[in-house]
Amino acid sequence: MQVLREIRALRAALRAAEASTRGLGFVPTMGALHAGHLSLVERARRENALVAASIFVNPLQFGAGEDFAAYPRTEAEDLALLEAAGCDVVLVGTPDDLYPDGFATEVRIDAPFTRELEGAARPGHFDGVATVVTKLFGIFAPRRAYFGLKDLQQVALVQRLVRDLDLDVEIVPCEIVRDHDGLALSSRNRYLDAELRTKAARLPRALQSARAALAAAPHDRQELERHVRALLEPDFVVEYVDVRVLPDFVRAPEPLREGRLVVTARLGPVRLLDNLALECSSEDGA
Ligand code: AMP
């Protein structure tokens, strides 16, 4: 695996491999890799001639008071994991290289959903994501790019970006990888101490329970939210509960039957995001 630390060197490596637009599968990450990230790399490996990844903790997508400085950085382990998963080339990005002096462009997607849920909770976050993803697509020129459904709203954002700007890349949404007790893997789970980590498994269980309740009887949003809050409070601070439908992350019609059940709840120092396809929804969450 080649490890490059400058955009220029990365581009030269890709050109040398003659994979500029054909057969390159790309997995953008912020590092602190776990089996969820690796599932994207493994899928990219199966579907592409060449597999590239990026490790870049993107300052633009962190708000004031968020954990940019503290975000886990585990580069040596990440590189070993990427190599073992079959990654051919990785860019370990730096803010100076991606955002040099004079950088003045922002990509902002003005779809209604970018102001809702995560967009409302984290002002500016999606602008930072859209900007860096646009840059990374420009840098790598991938044929396919792999994103986890763990960040469902981000998948909708990237799909909108690609459609609106006619970017020549196929977005491949990938199912959520979970720990042994059902908790969705996340780089931020390492902020949970042992006691909170045990409690955290109640979140995926609450999603399962709510999904079963929706399948058994008609529910509107209020009833769904009551169901989820009853299972999680007071240990969790529930931020939002909803059912949304891709590609544009619109609110599912009531009674809630199709789409993905989305819950975000704070547990101690961590915001836990999770979602689950309802029984009659298709696998890709549409
Ligand atoms: P991040 O490093 O958090 O920016 O995540 C990089 C990519 O990995 C994003 O597309 C995430 O949605 C995806 N990802 C993170 N956690 C998981 C998971 N548990 N299962 C599948 N994909 C994931």
Side-chain angles (χ1 to χ4, degrees), residues 5 7 40-41 45 57 61 73-74 97 115 139 207 219 221 240 254 272 285:
R5 293 172 193 280
I7 295 169
L40 309 186
V41 176
R45 180 73 282 164
V57 185
Q61 71 190 69
R73 287 162 171 88
T74 58
D97 198 22
R115 294 183 289 274
I139 292 165
L207 274 113
H219 279 65
R221 286 192 159 70
Y240 56 77
E254 294 175 342
L272 295 169

Side-chain angles (χ1 to χ4, degrees), residues 205-258:
R205 286 207 292 274
L207 274 113
Q208 299 271 4
S209 162
R211 174 165 77 173
L214 296 188
H219 279 65
D220 62 20
R221 286 192 159 70
Q222 259 190 349
E223 291 161 330
L224 168 67
E225 186 166 337
R226 227 180 332 206
H227 185 102
V228 171
R229 284 185 185 278
L231 292 169
L232 295 177
E233 289 173 346
D235 290 329
F236 292 75
V237 179
V238 177
E239 290 194 9
Y240 56 77
V241 179
D242 206 347
V243 178
R244 294 281 172 145
V245 187
L246 289 178
D248 262 337
F249 201 71
V250 292
R251 285 156 63 90
E254 294 175 342
L256 302 165
R257 235 187 299 250
E258 277 191 65

Side-chain angles (χ1 to χ4, degrees), residues 7 13 17 28 35 42 74 78 80 126 130 144 149 166 212 228 232 258:
I7 295 169
E42 285 154 9
T74 58
D78 291 350
F126 284 131
R144 298 181 193 84
L149 286 165
D166 300 302
V228 171
L232 295 177
E258 277 191 65

